[in-house]
PDB file of all heavy atoms in Angstrom:
ATOM      1  N   LEU A   1    -142.225 128.530  41.699  1.00  0.00           N
ATOM      2  CA  LEU A   1    -140.747 128.804  41.714  1.00  0.00           C
ATOM      3  C   LEU A   1    -140.468 130.124  41.097  1.00  0.00           C
ATOM      4  O   LEU A   1    -141.028 130.462  39.971  1.00  0.00           O
ATOM      5  CB  LEU A   1    -139.974 127.754  41.046  1.00  0.00           C
ATOM      6  CG  LEU A   1    -139.770 126.384  41.609  1.00  0.00           C
ATOM      7  CD1 LEU A   1    -139.127 125.372  40.744  1.00  0.00           C
ATOM      8  CD2 LEU A   1    -138.937 126.508  42.924  1.00  0.00           C
ATOM      9  N   GLY A   2    -139.726 131.002  41.690  1.00  0.00           N
ATOM     10  CA  GLY A   2    -139.401 132.336  41.233  1.00  0.00           C
ATOM     11  C   GLY A   2    -140.539 133.275  41.681  1.00  0.00           C
ATOM     12  O   GLY A   2    -141.504 132.925  42.380  1.00  0.00           O
ATOM     13  N   THR A   3    -140.397 134.518  41.276  1.00  0.00           N
ATOM     14  CA  THR A   3    -141.351 135.520  41.640  1.00  0.00           C
ATOM     15  C   THR A   3    -142.044 136.291  40.476  1.00  0.00           C
ATOM     16  O   THR A   3    -142.397 137.386  40.499  1.00  0.00           O
ATOM     17  CB  THR A   3    -140.701 136.546  42.568  1.00  0.00           C
ATOM     18  OG1 THR A   3    -139.613 137.011  42.002  1.00  0.00           O
ATOM     19  CG2 THR A   3    -140.295 135.953  43.853  1.00  0.00           C
ATOM     20  N   ALA A   4    -141.871 135.521  39.213  1.00  0.00           N
ATOM     21  CA  ALA A   4    -142.444 136.243  38.038  1.00  0.00           C
ATOM     22  C   ALA A   4    -143.974 136.202  38.079  1.00  0.00           C
ATOM     23  O   ALA A   4    -144.540 135.366  38.792  1.00  0.00           O
ATOM     24  CB  ALA A   4    -141.995 135.428  36.841  1.00  0.00           C
ATOM     25  N   ASP A   5    -144.503 137.160  37.306  1.00  0.00           N
ATOM     26  CA  ASP A   5    -146.046 137.175  37.366  1.00  0.00           C
ATOM     27  C   ASP A   5    -146.603 135.898  36.781  1.00  0.00           C
ATOM     28  O   ASP A   5    -146.142 135.256  35.854  1.00  0.00           O
ATOM     29  CB  ASP A   5    -146.515 138.401  36.444  1.00  0.00           C
ATOM     30  CG  ASP A   5    -146.104 139.678  36.944  1.00  0.00           C
ATOM     31  OD1 ASP A   5    -145.917 139.780  38.363  1.00  0.00           O
ATOM     32  OD2 ASP A   5    -146.035 140.668  36.295  1.00  0.00           O
ATOM     33  N   VAL A   6    -147.798 135.445  37.377  1.00  0.00           N
ATOM     34  CA  VAL A   6    -148.462 134.300  36.848  1.00  0.00           C
ATOM     35  C   VAL A   6    -149.865 134.739  36.435  1.00  0.00           C
ATOM     36  O   VAL A   6    -150.550 135.455  37.168  1.00  0.00           O
ATOM     37  CB  VAL A   6    -148.619 133.268  38.150  1.00  0.00           C
ATOM     38  CG1 VAL A   6    -149.458 132.142  37.696  1.00  0.00           C
ATOM     39  CG2 VAL A   6    -147.320 132.860  38.671  1.00  0.00           C
ATOM     40  N   PRO A   7    -150.208 134.514  35.252  1.00  0.00           N
ATOM     41  CA  PRO A   7    -151.551 135.070  34.639  1.00  0.00           C
ATOM     42  C   PRO A   7    -152.592 134.603  35.583  1.00  0.00           C
ATOM     43  O   PRO A   7    -152.748 133.485  35.926  1.00  0.00           O
ATOM     44  CB  PRO A   7    -151.454 134.360  33.283  1.00  0.00           C
ATOM     45  CG  PRO A   7    -150.109 134.100  32.852  1.00  0.00           C
ATOM     46  CD  PRO A   7    -149.310 133.808  34.204  1.00  0.00           C
ATOM     47  N   GLY A   8    -153.455 135.537  35.875  1.00  0.00           N
ATOM     48  CA  GLY A   8    -154.745 135.176  36.585  1.00  0.00           C
ATOM     49  C   GLY A   8    -154.502 135.068  38.035  1.00  0.00           C
ATOM     50  O   GLY A   8    -155.318 134.748  38.761  1.00  0.00           O
ATOM     51  N   CYS A   9    -153.294 135.505  38.603  1.00  0.00           N
ATOM     52  CA  CYS A   9    -152.933 135.366  39.981  1.00  0.00           C
ATOM     53  C   CYS A   9    -152.337 136.661  40.456  1.00  0.00           C
ATOM     54  O   CYS A   9    -151.679 137.411  39.672  1.00  0.00           O
ATOM     55  CB  CYS A   9    -151.986 134.246  40.267  1.00  0.00           C
ATOM     56  SG  CYS A   9    -152.666 132.557  39.889  1.00  0.00           S
ATOM     57  N   GLU A  10    -152.399 136.907  41.755  1.00  0.00           N
ATOM     58  CA  GLU A  10    -151.716 137.944  42.372  1.00  0.00           C
ATOM     59  C   GLU A  10    -150.577 137.360  43.218  1.00  0.00           C
ATOM     60  O   GLU A  10    -150.776 136.502  43.978  1.00  0.00           O
ATOM     61  CB  GLU A  10    -152.616 139.019  43.191  1.00  0.00           C
ATOM     62  CG  GLU A  10    -153.378 138.225  44.317  1.00  0.00           C
ATOM     63  CD  GLU A  10    -154.093 139.326  45.121  1.00  0.00           C
ATOM     64  OE1 GLU A  10    -153.675 140.527  45.134  1.00  0.00           O
ATOM     65  OE2 GLU A  10    -155.135 138.884  45.747  1.00  0.00           O
ATOM     66  N   LEU A  11    -149.438 137.987  43.271  1.00  0.00           N
ATOM     67  CA  LEU A  11    -148.326 137.647  44.236  1.00  0.00           C
ATOM     68  C   LEU A  11    -148.663 138.231  45.543  1.00  0.00           C
ATOM     69  O   LEU A  11    -148.749 139.438  45.732  1.00  0.00           O
ATOM     70  CB  LEU A  11    -147.066 138.240  43.692  1.00  0.00           C
ATOM     71  CG  LEU A  11    -145.741 137.819  44.413  1.00  0.00           C
ATOM     72  CD1 LEU A  11    -145.490 136.341  44.287  1.00  0.00           C
ATOM     73  CD2 LEU A  11    -144.590 138.615  44.110  1.00  0.00           C
ATOM     74  N   VAL A  12    -148.729 137.298  46.604  1.00  0.00           N
ATOM     75  CA  VAL A  12    -149.066 137.702  47.955  1.00  0.00           C
ATOM     76  C   VAL A  12    -148.039 137.588  48.956  1.00  0.00           C
ATOM     77  O   VAL A  12    -147.980 137.933  50.136  1.00  0.00           O
ATOM     78  CB  VAL A  12    -150.336 136.994  48.461  1.00  0.00           C
ATOM     79  CG1 VAL A  12    -151.524 137.383  47.587  1.00  0.00           C
ATOM     80  CG2 VAL A  12    -150.159 135.521  48.498  1.00  0.00           C
ATOM     81  N   GLY A  13    -146.941 136.792  48.424  1.00  0.00           N
ATOM     82  CA  GLY A  13    -145.750 136.706  49.439  1.00  0.00           C
ATOM     83  C   GLY A  13    -144.576 136.150  48.573  1.00  0.00           C
ATOM     84  O   GLY A  13    -144.732 135.556  47.621  1.00  0.00           O
ATOM     85  N   THR A  14    -143.409 136.413  49.127  1.00  0.00           N
ATOM     86  CA  THR A  14    -142.187 135.730  48.485  1.00  0.00           C
ATOM     87  C   THR A  14    -141.377 135.104  49.557  1.00  0.00           C
ATOM     88  O   THR A  14    -141.300 135.548  50.692  1.00  0.00           O
ATOM     89  CB  THR A  14    -141.357 136.770  47.740  1.00  0.00           C
ATOM     90  OG1 THR A  14    -140.962 137.875  48.748  1.00  0.00           O
ATOM     91  CG2 THR A  14    -142.146 137.413  46.660  1.00  0.00           C
ATOM     92  N   LEU A  15    -140.829 134.037  49.197  1.00  0.00           N
ATOM     93  CA  LEU A  15    -139.872 133.290  50.062  1.00  0.00           C
ATOM     94  C   LEU A  15    -138.470 133.417  49.453  1.00  0.00           C
ATOM     95  O   LEU A  15    -138.348 132.787  48.249  1.00  0.00           O
ATOM     96  CB  LEU A  15    -140.204 131.916  50.340  1.00  0.00           C
ATOM     97  CG  LEU A  15    -141.612 131.661  51.026  1.00  0.00           C
ATOM     98  CD1 LEU A  15    -141.956 130.159  50.979  1.00  0.00           C
ATOM     99  CD2 LEU A  15    -141.534 132.220  52.370  1.00  0.00           C
ATOM    100  N   PRO A  16    -137.454 133.903  50.124  1.00  0.00           N
ATOM    101  CA  PRO A  16    -136.102 133.960  49.422  1.00  0.00           C
ATOM    102  C   PRO A  16    -135.564 132.586  49.398  1.00  0.00           C
ATOM    103  O   PRO A  16    -135.997 131.632  50.059  1.00  0.00           O
ATOM    104  CB  PRO A  16    -135.423 134.910  50.251  1.00  0.00           C
ATOM    105  CG  PRO A  16    -136.002 134.833  51.690  1.00  0.00           C
ATOM    106  CD  PRO A  16    -137.378 134.614  51.361  1.00  0.00           C
ATOM    107  N   ALA A  17    -134.350 132.490  48.684  1.00  0.00           N
ATOM    108  CA  ALA A  17    -133.716 131.194  48.669  1.00  0.00           C
ATOM    109  C   ALA A  17    -133.226 130.793  50.073  1.00  0.00           C
ATOM    110  O   ALA A  17    -132.953 131.638  50.921  1.00  0.00           O
ATOM    111  CB  ALA A  17    -132.398 131.405  47.862  1.00  0.00           C
ATOM    112  N   LEU A  18    -133.189 129.549  50.371  1.00  0.00           N
ATOM    113  CA  LEU A  18    -132.849 128.986  51.666  1.00  0.00           C
ATOM    114  C   LEU A  18    -131.793 127.884  51.398  1.00  0.00           C
ATOM    115  O   LEU A  18    -132.096 126.856  50.668  1.00  0.00           O
ATOM    116  CB  LEU A  18    -134.094 128.444  52.304  1.00  0.00           C
ATOM    117  CG  LEU A  18    -133.990 127.876  53.783  1.00  0.00           C
ATOM    118  CD1 LEU A  18    -133.470 128.826  54.715  1.00  0.00           C
ATOM    119  CD2 LEU A  18    -135.243 127.221  54.258  1.00  0.00           C
ATOM    120  N   TYR A  19    -130.569 128.047  52.138  1.00  0.00           N
ATOM    121  CA  TYR A  19    -129.617 127.020  52.046  1.00  0.00           C
ATOM    122  C   TYR A  19    -129.425 126.414  53.338  1.00  0.00           C
ATOM    123  O   TYR A  19    -129.452 127.053  54.490  1.00  0.00           O
ATOM    124  CB  TYR A  19    -128.303 127.718  51.624  1.00  0.00           C
ATOM    125  CG  TYR A  19    -128.366 128.259  50.080  1.00  0.00           C
ATOM    126  CD1 TYR A  19    -129.018 129.400  49.746  1.00  0.00           C
ATOM    127  CD2 TYR A  19    -127.588 127.429  49.129  1.00  0.00           C
ATOM    128  CE1 TYR A  19    -129.033 129.749  48.481  1.00  0.00           C
ATOM    129  CE2 TYR A  19    -127.581 127.935  47.876  1.00  0.00           C
ATOM    130  CZ  TYR A  19    -128.248 128.969  47.409  1.00  0.00           C
ATOM    131  OH  TYR A  19    -128.269 129.390  46.159  1.00  0.00           O
ATOM    132  N   PRO A  20    -128.886 125.181  53.385  1.00  0.00           N
ATOM    133  CA  PRO A  20    -128.505 124.580  54.633  1.00  0.00           C
ATOM    134  C   PRO A  20    -127.414 125.372  55.416  1.00  0.00           C
ATOM    135  O   PRO A  20    -127.379 125.494  56.696  1.00  0.00           O
ATOM    136  CB  PRO A  20    -127.878 123.156  54.191  1.00  0.00           C
ATOM    137  CG  PRO A  20    -128.504 122.910  52.874  1.00  0.00           C
ATOM    138  CD  PRO A  20    -128.600 124.283  52.199  1.00  0.00           C
ATOM    139  N   GLU A  21    -126.514 126.021  54.679  1.00  0.00           N
ATOM    140  CA  GLU A  21    -125.466 126.916  55.173  1.00  0.00           C
ATOM    141  C   GLU A  21    -126.014 128.186  56.023  1.00  0.00           C
ATOM    142  O   GLU A  21    -125.398 128.682  56.869  1.00  0.00           O
ATOM    143  CB  GLU A  21    -124.657 127.523  54.119  1.00  0.00           C
ATOM    144  CG  GLU A  21    -123.661 126.453  53.420  1.00  0.00           C
ATOM    145  CD  GLU A  21    -124.424 125.684  52.207  1.00  0.00           C
ATOM    146  OE1 GLU A  21    -125.685 125.756  52.153  1.00  0.00           O
ATOM    147  OE2 GLU A  21    -123.712 124.959  51.603  1.00  0.00           O
ATOM    148  N   TRP A  22    -127.354 128.409  55.754  1.00  0.00           N
ATOM    149  CA  TRP A  22    -127.945 129.576  56.296  1.00  0.00           C
ATOM    150  C   TRP A  22    -128.726 129.194  57.589  1.00  0.00           C
ATOM    151  O   TRP A  22    -129.209 130.124  58.276  1.00  0.00           O
ATOM    152  CB  TRP A  22    -128.830 130.306  55.421  1.00  0.00           C
ATOM    153  CG  TRP A  22    -128.029 130.927  54.151  1.00  0.00           C
ATOM    154  CD1 TRP A  22    -126.651 130.950  54.126  1.00  0.00           C
ATOM    155  CD2 TRP A  22    -128.617 131.494  53.027  1.00  0.00           C
ATOM    156  NE1 TRP A  22    -126.378 131.517  52.867  1.00  0.00           N
ATOM    157  CE2 TRP A  22    -127.548 131.852  52.196  1.00  0.00           C
ATOM    158  CE3 TRP A  22    -129.899 131.712  52.515  1.00  0.00           C
ATOM    159  CZ2 TRP A  22    -127.629 132.617  50.960  1.00  0.00           C
ATOM    160  CZ3 TRP A  22    -130.014 132.351  51.316  1.00  0.00           C
ATOM    161  CH2 TRP A  22    -128.954 132.737  50.576  1.00  0.00           C
ATOM    162  N   LEU A  23    -128.955 127.966  57.882  1.00  0.00           N
ATOM    163  CA  LEU A  23    -129.711 127.554  59.064  1.00  0.00           C
ATOM    164  C   LEU A  23    -128.778 127.946  60.222  1.00  0.00           C
ATOM    165  O   LEU A  23    -127.653 127.945  60.310  1.00  0.00           O
ATOM    166  CB  LEU A  23    -130.027 126.115  59.189  1.00  0.00           C
ATOM    167  CG  LEU A  23    -130.891 125.632  58.004  1.00  0.00           C
ATOM    168  CD1 LEU A  23    -131.059 124.126  58.161  1.00  0.00           C
ATOM    169  CD2 LEU A  23    -132.246 126.211  57.842  1.00  0.00           C
ATOM    170  N   GLY A  24    -129.413 128.308  61.435  1.00  0.00           N
ATOM    171  CA  GLY A  24    -128.627 128.621  62.542  1.00  0.00           C
ATOM    172  C   GLY A  24    -128.089 130.059  62.501  1.00  0.00           C
ATOM    173  O   GLY A  24    -128.505 130.914  61.766  1.00  0.00           O
ATOM    174  N   ASP A  25    -126.989 130.274  63.250  1.00  0.00           N
ATOM    175  CA  ASP A  25    -126.284 131.550  63.348  1.00  0.00           C
ATOM    176  C   ASP A  25    -125.077 131.405  62.398  1.00  0.00           C
ATOM    177  O   ASP A  25    -124.173 130.653  62.507  1.00  0.00           O
ATOM    178  CB  ASP A  25    -125.761 131.769  64.827  1.00  0.00           C
ATOM    179  CG  ASP A  25    -125.188 133.139  64.982  1.00  0.00           C
ATOM    180  OD1 ASP A  25    -124.647 133.661  64.016  1.00  0.00           O
ATOM    181  OD2 ASP A  25    -125.286 133.553  66.195  1.00  0.00           O
ATOM    182  N   ARG A  26    -125.110 132.316  61.277  1.00  0.00           N
ATOM    183  CA  ARG A  26    -124.020 132.292  60.400  1.00  0.00           C
ATOM    184  C   ARG A  26    -122.689 132.578  60.901  1.00  0.00           C
ATOM    185  O   ARG A  26    -121.690 132.270  60.267  1.00  0.00           O
ATOM    186  CB  ARG A  26    -124.419 133.310  59.234  1.00  0.00           C
ATOM    187  CG  ARG A  26    -125.632 132.806  58.445  1.00  0.00           C
ATOM    188  CD  ARG A  26    -125.875 133.561  57.099  1.00  0.00           C
ATOM    189  NE  ARG A  26    -127.226 133.493  56.668  1.00  0.00           N
ATOM    190  CZ  ARG A  26    -127.512 134.088  55.532  1.00  0.00           C
ATOM    191  NH1 ARG A  26    -126.747 134.736  54.716  1.00  0.00           N
ATOM    192  NH2 ARG A  26    -128.899 134.056  55.164  1.00  0.00           N
ATOM    193  N   SER A  27    -122.575 133.262  61.968  1.00  0.00           N
ATOM    194  CA  SER A  27    -121.420 133.583  62.620  1.00  0.00           C
ATOM    195  C   SER A  27    -120.556 132.331  63.024  1.00  0.00           C
ATOM    196  O   SER A  27    -119.266 132.194  63.138  1.00  0.00           O
ATOM    197  CB  SER A  27    -121.389 134.467  63.970  1.00  0.00           C
ATOM    198  OG  SER A  27    -122.052 133.893  64.992  1.00  0.00           O
ATOM    199  N   PHE A  28    -121.360 131.188  63.341  1.00  0.00           N
ATOM    200  CA  PHE A  28    -120.714 129.997  63.666  1.00  0.00           C
ATOM    201  C   PHE A  28    -119.866 129.375  62.534  1.00  0.00           C
ATOM    202  O   PHE A  28    -118.640 129.059  62.832  1.00  0.00           O
ATOM    203  CB  PHE A  28    -121.738 128.917  63.948  1.00  0.00           C
ATOM    204  CG  PHE A  28    -121.166 127.622  64.496  1.00  0.00           C
ATOM    205  CD1 PHE A  28    -121.057 127.327  65.825  1.00  0.00           C
ATOM    206  CD2 PHE A  28    -121.016 126.530  63.528  1.00  0.00           C
ATOM    207  CE1 PHE A  28    -120.496 126.039  66.240  1.00  0.00           C
ATOM    208  CE2 PHE A  28    -120.426 125.366  64.030  1.00  0.00           C
ATOM    209  CZ  PHE A  28    -120.264 125.092  65.248  1.00  0.00           C
ATOM    210  N   ALA A  29    -120.392 129.491  61.372  1.00  0.00           N
ATOM    211  CA  ALA A  29    -119.683 129.028  60.112  1.00  0.00           C
ATOM    212  C   ALA A  29    -118.446 129.818  59.994  1.00  0.00           C
ATOM    213  O   ALA A  29    -117.348 129.470  59.690  1.00  0.00           O
ATOM    214  CB  ALA A  29    -120.533 128.965  58.973  1.00  0.00           C
ATOM    215  N   ALA A  30    -118.582 131.232  60.145  1.00  0.00           N
ATOM    216  CA  ALA A  30    -117.535 132.105  59.837  1.00  0.00           C
ATOM    217  C   ALA A  30    -116.367 131.884  60.818  1.00  0.00           C
ATOM    218  O   ALA A  30    -115.233 131.916  60.650  1.00  0.00           O
ATOM    219  CB  ALA A  30    -118.050 133.598  59.920  1.00  0.00           C
ATOM    220  N   ASP A  31    -116.824 131.751  62.138  1.00  0.00           N
ATOM    221  CA  ASP A  31    -115.788 131.732  63.233  1.00  0.00           C
ATOM    222  C   ASP A  31    -115.024 130.356  63.225  1.00  0.00           C
ATOM    223  O   ASP A  31    -113.677 130.268  63.494  1.00  0.00           O
ATOM    224  CB  ASP A  31    -116.404 131.904  64.690  1.00  0.00           C
ATOM    225  CG  ASP A  31    -116.694 133.373  64.820  1.00  0.00           C
ATOM    226  OD1 ASP A  31    -116.382 134.180  64.098  1.00  0.00           O
ATOM    227  OD2 ASP A  31    -117.466 133.580  65.871  1.00  0.00           O
ATOM    228  N   HIS A  32    -115.693 129.248  62.843  1.00  0.00           N
ATOM    229  CA  HIS A  32    -115.149 127.895  62.923  1.00  0.00           C
ATOM    230  C   HIS A  32    -114.555 127.523  61.487  1.00  0.00           C
ATOM    231  O   HIS A  32    -113.843 126.562  61.403  1.00  0.00           O
ATOM    232  CB  HIS A  32    -116.161 126.901  63.243  1.00  0.00           C
ATOM    233  CG  HIS A  32    -116.414 126.917  64.769  1.00  0.00           C
ATOM    234  ND1 HIS A  32    -115.807 126.319  65.728  1.00  0.00           N
ATOM    235  CD2 HIS A  32    -117.465 127.559  65.427  1.00  0.00           C
ATOM    236  CE1 HIS A  32    -116.182 126.400  66.969  1.00  0.00           C
ATOM    237  NE2 HIS A  32    -117.305 127.218  66.736  1.00  0.00           N
ATOM    238  N   GLY A  33    -114.849 128.340  60.512  1.00  0.00           N
ATOM    239  CA  GLY A  33    -114.317 127.983  59.146  1.00  0.00           C
ATOM    240  C   GLY A  33    -114.985 126.765  58.526  1.00  0.00           C
ATOM    241  O   GLY A  33    -114.294 125.985  57.922  1.00  0.00           O
ATOM    242  N   VAL A  34    -116.375 126.640  58.798  1.00  0.00           N
ATOM    243  CA  VAL A  34    -117.046 125.449  58.352  1.00  0.00           C
ATOM    244  C   VAL A  34    -118.175 125.869  57.320  1.00  0.00           C
ATOM    245  O   VAL A  34    -118.555 126.991  57.271  1.00  0.00           O
ATOM    246  CB  VAL A  34    -117.743 124.651  59.433  1.00  0.00           C
ATOM    247  CG1 VAL A  34    -116.515 124.157  60.316  1.00  0.00           C
ATOM    248  CG2 VAL A  34    -118.548 125.524  60.357  1.00  0.00           C
ATOM    249  N   ARG A  35    -118.721 124.864  56.733  1.00  0.00           N
ATOM    250  CA  ARG A  35    -119.785 125.058  55.718  1.00  0.00           C
ATOM    251  C   ARG A  35    -121.156 125.137  56.397  1.00  0.00           C
ATOM    252  O   ARG A  35    -121.914 126.014  56.071  1.00  0.00           O
ATOM    253  CB  ARG A  35    -119.837 123.841  54.642  1.00  0.00           C
ATOM    254  CG  ARG A  35    -120.809 124.006  53.662  1.00  0.00           C
ATOM    255  CD  ARG A  35    -120.827 122.790  52.753  1.00  0.00           C
ATOM    256  NE  ARG A  35    -122.025 122.742  51.696  1.00  0.00           N
ATOM    257  CZ  ARG A  35    -122.335 121.732  51.039  1.00  0.00           C
ATOM    258  NH1 ARG A  35    -121.620 120.730  50.864  1.00  0.00           N
ATOM    259  NH2 ARG A  35    -123.356 121.833  50.080  1.00  0.00           N
ATOM    260  N   PHE A  36    -121.406 124.248  57.369  1.00  0.00           N
ATOM    261  CA  PHE A  36    -122.693 124.181  57.984  1.00  0.00           C
ATOM    262  C   PHE A  36    -122.558 124.591  59.588  1.00  0.00           C
ATOM    263  O   PHE A  36    -121.468 124.218  60.014  1.00  0.00           O
ATOM    264  CB  PHE A  36    -123.232 122.818  57.898  1.00  0.00           C
ATOM    265  CG  PHE A  36    -123.596 122.318  56.583  1.00  0.00           C
ATOM    266  CD1 PHE A  36    -123.408 120.932  56.222  1.00  0.00           C
ATOM    267  CD2 PHE A  36    -124.122 123.165  55.620  1.00  0.00           C
ATOM    268  CE1 PHE A  36    -123.608 120.522  54.939  1.00  0.00           C
ATOM    269  CE2 PHE A  36    -124.396 122.724  54.361  1.00  0.00           C
ATOM    270  CZ  PHE A  36    -124.078 121.350  53.980  1.00  0.00           C
ATOM    271  N   PRO A  37    -123.545 124.995  60.255  1.00  0.00           N
ATOM    272  CA  PRO A  37    -123.586 125.132  61.715  1.00  0.00           C
ATOM    273  C   PRO A  37    -123.905 123.729  62.164  1.00  0.00           C
ATOM    274  O   PRO A  37    -124.968 123.595  62.829  1.00  0.00           O
ATOM    275  CB  PRO A  37    -124.648 126.145  61.809  1.00  0.00           C
ATOM    276  CG  PRO A  37    -125.625 126.028  60.714  1.00  0.00           C
ATOM    277  CD  PRO A  37    -124.780 125.631  59.585  1.00  0.00           C
ATOM    278  N   TYR A  38    -122.974 122.847  62.111  1.00  0.00           N
ATOM    279  CA  TYR A  38    -123.178 121.365  62.448  1.00  0.00           C
ATOM    280  C   TYR A  38    -121.847 120.892  62.946  1.00  0.00           C
ATOM    281  O   TYR A  38    -120.732 121.157  62.519  1.00  0.00           O
ATOM    282  CB  TYR A  38    -123.599 120.680  61.157  1.00  0.00           C
ATOM    283  CG  TYR A  38    -123.836 119.119  61.302  1.00  0.00           C
ATOM    284  CD1 TYR A  38    -125.072 118.595  61.307  1.00  0.00           C
ATOM    285  CD2 TYR A  38    -122.741 118.291  61.283  1.00  0.00           C
ATOM    286  CE1 TYR A  38    -125.235 117.271  61.359  1.00  0.00           C
ATOM    287  CE2 TYR A  38    -122.970 116.978  61.360  1.00  0.00           C
ATOM    288  CZ  TYR A  38    -124.286 116.409  61.405  1.00  0.00           C
ATOM    289  OH  TYR A  38    -124.383 115.105  61.544  1.00  0.00           O
ATOM    290  N   VAL A  39    -122.014 120.015  63.967  1.00  0.00           N
ATOM    291  CA  VAL A  39    -120.756 119.366  64.678  1.00  0.00           C
ATOM    292  C   VAL A  39    -121.020 117.814  64.743  1.00  0.00           C
ATOM    293  O   VAL A  39    -122.043 117.570  65.266  1.00  0.00           O
ATOM    294  CB  VAL A  39    -120.511 120.075  66.097  1.00  0.00           C
ATOM    295  CG1 VAL A  39    -119.133 119.409  66.594  1.00  0.00           C
ATOM    296  CG2 VAL A  39    -120.401 121.467  65.977  1.00  0.00           C
ATOM    297  N   ALA A  40    -120.036 117.151  64.324  1.00  0.00           N
ATOM    298  CA  ALA A  40    -120.018 115.658  64.745  1.00  0.00           C
ATOM    299  C   ALA A  40    -119.363 115.649  66.069  1.00  0.00           C
ATOM    300  O   ALA A  40    -118.082 115.742  66.168  1.00  0.00           O
ATOM    301  CB  ALA A  40    -119.306 114.872  63.790  1.00  0.00           C
ATOM    302  N   GLY A  41    -120.129 115.446  67.144  1.00  0.00           N
ATOM    303  CA  GLY A  41    -119.598 115.489  68.478  1.00  0.00           C
ATOM    304  C   GLY A  41    -118.764 114.500  68.944  1.00  0.00           C
ATOM    305  O   GLY A  41    -118.697 113.454  68.339  1.00  0.00           O
ATOM    306  N   GLU A  42    -118.103 114.824  70.057  1.00  0.00           N
ATOM    307  CA  GLU A  42    -117.239 113.865  70.687  1.00  0.00           C
ATOM    308  C   GLU A  42    -117.902 112.565  71.281  1.00  0.00           C
ATOM    309  O   GLU A  42    -118.983 112.730  71.751  1.00  0.00           O
ATOM    310  CB  GLU A  42    -116.537 114.528  71.829  1.00  0.00           C
ATOM    311  CG  GLU A  42    -117.338 115.093  72.995  1.00  0.00           C
ATOM    312  CD  GLU A  42    -117.738 116.628  72.758  1.00  0.00           C
ATOM    313  OE1 GLU A  42    -117.744 117.112  71.604  1.00  0.00           O
ATOM    314  OE2 GLU A  42    -118.169 117.175  73.856  1.00  0.00           O
ATOM    315  N   MET A  43    -117.323 111.497  70.943  1.00  0.00           N
ATOM    316  CA  MET A  43    -117.718 110.233  71.519  1.00  0.00           C
ATOM    317  C   MET A  43    -116.538 109.519  72.146  1.00  0.00           C
ATOM    318  O   MET A  43    -115.533 109.554  71.563  1.00  0.00           O
ATOM    319  CB  MET A  43    -118.446 109.357  70.455  1.00  0.00           C
ATOM    320  CG  MET A  43    -119.712 109.839  69.989  1.00  0.00           C
ATOM    321  SD  MET A  43    -120.450 108.856  68.663  1.00  0.00           S
ATOM    322  CE  MET A  43    -119.397 109.362  67.331  1.00  0.00           C
ATOM    323  N   ALA A  44    -116.615 109.178  73.461  1.00  0.00           N
ATOM    324  CA  ALA A  44    -115.535 108.831  74.215  1.00  0.00           C
ATOM    325  C   ALA A  44    -114.779 107.600  73.700  1.00  0.00           C
ATOM    326  O   ALA A  44    -115.243 106.851  72.687  1.00  0.00           O
ATOM    327  CB  ALA A  44    -116.065 108.467  75.626  1.00  0.00           C
ATOM    328  N   GLN A  45    -113.527 107.570  74.293  1.00  0.00           N
ATOM    329  CA  GLN A  45    -112.629 106.350  73.764  1.00  0.00           C
ATOM    330  C   GLN A  45    -112.324 106.379  72.390  1.00  0.00           C
ATOM    331  O   GLN A  45    -112.204 105.248  71.816  1.00  0.00           O
ATOM    332  CB  GLN A  45    -113.142 105.150  74.384  1.00  0.00           C
ATOM    333  CG  GLN A  45    -113.188 105.083  75.877  1.00  0.00           C
ATOM    334  CD  GLN A  45    -113.493 103.841  76.437  1.00  0.00           C
ATOM    335  OE1 GLN A  45    -113.835 102.725  75.698  1.00  0.00           O
ATOM    336  NE2 GLN A  45    -113.512 103.611  77.814  1.00  0.00           N
TER     337      GLN A  45
END
């Protein structure tokens, strides 16, 4: 966790923070005013 130096190791890659809000296209959340790019879809009747 984090990207601080680890004794006896070399850092070969980093993974930035990842949030559910960031999956998919972020413009979806901005345009619809929602937290997630997720829809509870229509079910008839």
